[in-house]
Amino acid sequence: MTTVRVRFAPSPTGYLHVGGLRTALYNFLFARHHKGVLVLRIEDTDRSRYVPGAVENLIRTLKWTGITYDEGPDIGGPYGPYIQSQRLELYREHAGKLVEMNRAYYCFCTPDRLENMRREQMARKQPPKYDGTCRRLSPREVQQKLQEKVPHVIRLKMPLEGETRFEDMIRGEVAFQNALIDDQILVKSDGYPTYHLANVVDDHYMKITHVIRGEEWLPSVPKHLQIYRAFGWEVPRMAHLPLLLNPDRSKLSKRQGDVAVEDYMAKGYLPEALINFVALLGWNPGTEQEIFSLKELIERFRLERVNKAGAVFDVQKLNWMNGVYIRRLSEDRLVEFLTPFLEKKGYDVSDRERTRKIILAVYKGIDKGEDIAEAARIFFQENVEITEPEARELLKKETSYTVIKVFYEKLHSLDRLDVDIFKQVMKEVQTETGIRKQDLWMPIRIALTGVTHGPELPYVIEIFGLEKVKSFVRQILEKVYREQGRP
Ligand code: GLU
């Protein structure tokens, strides 16, 4: 049996798209499941889209996700170089061979002419397609134009009739009418190959056995098959992954949310969670299980279980899943992971013991790293703000005023405050006022945190200490109750 060899072949656009991450992941899982090889190949032949630093960024982002590859630009391998702009000679040679074999031809049409042609076709409601003018040039005419150095491209000579069929591992048999397929440009006028030529040549020489990529590449297959056949090369097996969709089922777009893996990284999603989530975009294990470790994914992943239908990218679900992963972190990892988000917000985290306590007090309520800033806000501010309408309403109750006033008086006889003393004080307030349960606890919670939900009060007390507790309660009495005309 031959070894499985797959590749992730991104064009370096400056960031890793979540769709690209899914392609990388499925290739990775397939390779690891079959004890095969994953190649990282950089497809950078479109010079107009060159972005400096994009390759380095891509490699850094992949590292963060935990997707490892076995051959690639930064680690080498037997079939390198793995960057297409370093393989131009190979493509040039193969383009030349295709012309010699009469499977491709020189095209001298000017951009103006092509543009007019396209416009006319559109006006006639025909699909835009090269009209084949240069396909019919005689060898002498071609020679002459080449000698005169007329700018040109090289185009693939698609058969004018018949069908191209192939078996996709996800979609089953797929058929295309050859007559509808354009004579694809293989080499541009700047001498660079297009994706189509470079991709096929590389998949062949890198001994790729399975091509796993997004559905948007499906229409390219018949063109690619022409090239494979012309050279008599074996065609890899193909698997085209379903589109990623917005919740309204339109194609996943920036306008409706983040599409760059780097954005998720910056917002405090954990790589394990993002990988778990992305794994389920199109693949399903056939059970109800939703939380998978990478090891489990490798064991369970099958291309046969990838759906044809588009997969909705549901950020709510990702948030839920990320929360699950956050709550599974060890205390040390939690602190290490979340501290930078507090720092970024400008909060003073220099007292590491205090920062740790704050994080442990609030992390249960967050979905992603950046949420910690809001969850921990009360610990870093000098004033209570009551913005929640429900909290404002609750403070208006007669019992709330009584509880807060008596609690405040009791604070004055204390010289320190910890959880046990706090509980004792609350017991006294209860006995004295006869107010119990929610009516007893909620006003204190609101006075200290400004909201009706949040970390457990004992945590708050311990981290605040006596002075801050006093100051916050005083503020409530002064600000809120004075406003209400109370003494
Ligand atoms: N360079 C293409 C991309 O950006 C690769 C497509 C393929 O895998 O063939 O997605």
Side-chain angles (χ1 to χ4, degrees):
M1 241 178 67
T2 50
T3 319
V4 161
R5 288 181 57 86
V6 292
R7 80 309 193 268
F8 175 48
S11 300
T13 53
Y15 65 93
L16 178 58
H17 190 283
V18 285
L21 174 61
R22 195 224 10 214
T23 302
L25 177 63
Y26 284 15
N27 275 286
F28 167 84
L29 296 176
F30 186 76
R32 295 293 171 260
H33 182 89
H34 292 284
K35 311 233 173 319
V37 169
L38 173 60
V39 175
L40 173 66
R41 181 173 75 223
I42 303 297
E43 302 207 326
D44 61 345
T45 57
D46 187 349
R47 299 321 273 174
S48 63
R49 293 175 60 191
Y50 175 76
V51 180
V55 176
E56 293 74 8
N57 183 55
L58 190 103
I59 289 177
R60 207 177 321 118
T61 309
L62 275 181
K63 283 228 163 75
W64 175 81
T65 66
I67 294 174
T68 55
Y69 43 88
D70 311 290
E71 297 170 24
D74 54 332
I75 51 177
Y79 305 106
Y82 293 92
I83 299 187
Q84 288 188 328
S85 58
Q86 296 171 10
R87 299 167 66 83
L88 298 177
E89 203 35 59
L90 187 68
Y91 311 131
R92 210 162 286 149
E93 185 194 317
H94 284 79
K97 280 189 190 155
L98 286 170
V99 176
E100 264 168 47
M101 292 188 284
N102 200 21
R103 305 297 285 262
Y105 61 95
Y106 290 102
C107 173
F108 302 93
C109 292
T110 61
D112 273 356
R113 174 167 193 274
L114 295 173
E115 182 51 30
N116 285 338
M117 186 168 68
R118 200 183 62 86
R119 259 197 238 125
E120 277 167 29
Q121 286 167 337
M122 301 273 274
R124 272 179 277 146
K125 303 232 176 323
Q126 290 172 339
K129 184 172 178 286
Y130 180 58
D131 65 0
T133 304
C134 291
R135 202 172 156 140
R136 294 181 286 268
L137 290 177
S138 71
R140 281 216 6 239
E141 287 168 306
V142 172
Q143 272 320 312
Q144 194 168 350
K145 285 184 191 292
L146 287 176
Q147 263 159 24
E148 288 164 8
K149 299 220 177 329
V150 180
H152 59 268
V153 301
I154 296 179
R155 285 183 187 273
L156 180 66
K157 208 172 218 174
M158 267 312 281
L160 299 172
E161 49 208 29
E163 270 190 347
T164 302
R165 288 173 179 274
F166 72 97
E167 189 70 23
D168 186 89
M169 291 175 78
I170 293 167
R171 325 189 73 81
E173 190 173 60
V174 185
F176 289 91
Q177 295 293 322
N178 293 336
L180 300 178
I181 297 169
D182 207 0
D183 281 355
Q184 184 66 51
I185 296 179
L186 299 179
V187 177
K188 292 171 279 186
S189 54
D190 62 3
Y192 274 79
T194 57
Y195 153 76
H196 303 276
L197 176 65
N199 186 271
V200 170
V201 167
D202 284 350
D203 280 349
H204 173 70
Y205 285 104
M206 294 181 182
K207 297 199 165 31
I208 298 304
T209 58
H210 298 76
V211 168
I212 305 169
R213 63 183 166 200
E215 184 183 305
E216 62 273 31
W217 301 105
L218 193 65
S220 302
V221 177
K223 303 171 189 175
H224 295 184
L225 291 181
Q226 289 301 320
I227 305 176
Y228 281 106
R229 285 176 194 157
F231 289 118
W233 292 341
E234 199 182 324
V235 181
R237 298 203 63 193
M238 307 261 179
H240 288 86
L241 308 175
L243 287 179
L244 296 187
L245 308 174
N246 293 311
D248 66 4
R249 302 200 73 84
S250 57
K251 196 172 164 226
L252 186 67
S253 64
K254 263 192 211 167
R255 253 183 301 136
Q256 297 201 27
D258 292 317
V259 294
V261 172
E262 290 85 339
D263 291 335
Y264 289 94
M265 204 195 266
K267 289 188 169 169
Y269 289 88
L270 290 164
E272 309 85 291
L274 189 61
I275 287 290
N276 189 157
F277 172 75
V278 166
L280 296 172
L281 291 176
W283 171 76
N284 75 82
T287 65
E288 293 292 293
Q289 187 179 343
E290 293 206 282
I291 301 293
F292 293 91
S293 68
L294 198 56
K295 195 164 158 259
E296 278 175 297
L297 288 173
I298 292 170
E299 254 159 45
R300 307 276 296 276
F301 185 78
R302 299 279 185 292
L303 274 177
E304 294 72 24
R305 291 210 67 91
V306 175
N307 309 324
K308 280 191 265 239
V312 172
F313 190 99
D314 177 3
V315 127
Q316 306 292 346
K317 181 169 173 186
L318 170 60
N319 287 344
W320 164 77
M321 201 174 263
N322 201 57
V324 171
Y325 276 88
I326 286 181
R327 290 186 288 279
R328 284 182 172 191
L329 293 178
S330 71
E331 292 194 352
D332 285 347
R333 275 279 286 131
L334 268 172
V335 174
E336 185 193 343
F337 171 56
L338 294 172
T339 304
F341 292 98
L342 293 174
E343 228 172 339
K344 206 158 90 201
K345 186 78 190 177
Y347 293 153
D348 178 5
V349 293
S350 56
D351 180 342
R352 298 190 37 198
E353 218 15 70
R354 178 169 186 270
T355 305
R356 183 185 183 87
K357 278 189 190 154
I358 293 173
I359 288 175
L360 297 181
V362 300
Y363 80 91
K364 286 196 184 115
I366 67 169
D367 286 336
K368 51 190 185 298
E370 67 173 13
D371 297 348
I372 193 82
E374 177 55 28
R377 187 165 49 89
I378 50 159
F379 296 105
F380 296 98
Q381 61 189 22
E382 295 307 318
N383 302 302
V384 237
E385 270 169 63
I386 300 174
T387 46
E388 206 186 84
E390 201 192 333
R392 287 190 153 279
E393 276 313 303
L394 271 164
L395 282 186
K396 284 187 189 151
K397 284 173 84 172
E398 196 57 41
T399 49
S400 301
Y401 176 64
T402 312
V403 166
I404 290 176
K405 202 158 171 270
V406 176
F407 178 70
Y408 185 61
E409 280 157 14
K410 300 230 165 275
L411 290 178
H412 283 285
S413 56
L414 302 176
D415 53 8
R416 58 186 203 91
L417 188 59
D418 64 16
V419 173
D420 290 334
I421 301 174
F422 172 66
K423 284 186 182 153
Q424 182 56 37
V425 171
M426 290 305 282
K427 213 178 269 171
E428 288 171 26
V429 176
Q430 180 182 325
T431 327
E432 235 164 83
T433 62
I435 299 168
R436 305 169 54 227
K437 299 207 175 141
Q438 284 286 80
D439 284 346
L440 175 71
W441 294 97
M442 200 49 101
I444 302 298
R445 163 178 293 286
I446 296 170
L448 296 182
T449 67
V451 287
T452 52
H453 56 274
E456 286 163 41
L457 274 185
Y459 283 126
V460 177
I461 296 297
E462 204 180 302
I463 298 166
F464 273 20
L466 181 59
E467 285 318 308
K468 187 159 173 173
V469 169
K470 258 197 212 164
S471 144
F472 273 32
V473 178
R474 187 182 332 111
Q475 287 180 43
I476 293 292
L477 286 169
E478 284 173 0
K479 277 200 300 210
V480 181
Y481 288 122
R482 189 87 35 91
E483 266 170 36
Q484 295 177 11
R486 302 202 193 245

